[in-house]
Amino acid sequence: MSDLRLAVRSLRATPIVTAVAILSLALGIGANTAIFSLVNSLLLRALPVKEPTQLALITDDTDRGSYSWTNPIWEQIRSRRDLYDASFAWSTNRFNLASGGETQFVDGIWASGGLFDTLGVPAMLGRTFNDADDARGGGPDGPVAVIGYGFWQRRFGGAADALGR
């Protein structure tokens, strides 16, 4: 107990050194917490999909800067069902949602019909893509779009009548 009293007296005697030590500890703890949170979300926690350890990315030589294939190559890969259980293809894009006037860009992806079935991710409302939607111009129901939860809340206020709009 006397050691604790001595430590408190020493800290009171040098307030500037005490403030610097406390600030250094606070910054160190905050930085470690932020770094662990980032590592945990990116590396340690599994993806929220069915069997994340079974996923594989097939790509060509990334050293040359080439990251995507053409649709005919994708169709050849998709036709080889004996090599894998399920597959999907995607490509990133920016979409303009404005029907006229000021542009309203959102980031999105073009995806093949097997995306949601392969990942085991169901739709919260409506339906997801299927293989029939892989036709040029859309499937039997025409072009299909799936939006994320955040976009649904921001753009449609979480309304159930967002389907078909």
Side-chain angles (χ1 to χ4, degrees):
M1 192 64 161
S2 64
D3 288 342
L4 183 60
R5 280 190 228 137
L6 180 63
V8 170
R9 271 193 240 133
S10 297
L11 290 174
R12 282 187 184 164
T14 55
I16 294 175
V17 173
T18 301
V20 169
I22 291 172
L23 183 63
S24 296
L25 279 172
L27 288 174
I29 291 170
N32 279 324
T33 302
I35 290 170
F36 176 75
S37 296
L38 184 65
V39 167
N40 184 41
S41 65
L42 295 177
L43 300 176
L44 301 178
R45 191 177 313 164
L47 292 172
V49 298
K50 175 183 72 175
E51 299 184 36
T53 58
Q54 298 295 313
L55 294 177
L57 177 65
I58 301 172
T59 185
D60 57 359
D61 186 7
T62 58
D63 293 335
R64 294 181 299 159
S66 179
Y67 298 103
S68 62
W69 290 330
T70 63
N71 192 56
I73 293 173
W74 158 242
E75 289 174 359
Q76 288 294 316
I77 293 170
R78 184 176 56 188
S79 68
R80 300 289 309 267
R81 299 271 183 196
D82 56 322
L83 299 176
Y84 48 82
D85 292 333
S87 66
F88 66 91
W90 83 94
S91 176
T92 60
N93 199 1
R94 289 198 63 148
F95 296 93
N96 182 7
L97 299 181
S99 57
E102 185 178 341
T103 58
Q104 299 173 9
F105 287 112
V106 294
D107 292 324
I109 64 171
W110 293 103
S112 65
L115 173 72
F116 294 100
D117 289 336
T118 302
L119 296 178
V121 179
M124 183 179 246
L125 188 66
R127 71 174 184 90
T128 58
F129 304 136
N130 57 43
D131 289 333
D133 294 318
D134 272 348
R136 186 172 294 277
D141 299 330
V144 178
V146 176
I147 61 174
Y149 182 82
F151 183 82
W152 178 46
Q153 295 298 315
R154 281 190 313 275
R155 180 83 174 201
F156 299 102
D161 67 345
L163 295 173
R165 288 200 286 163

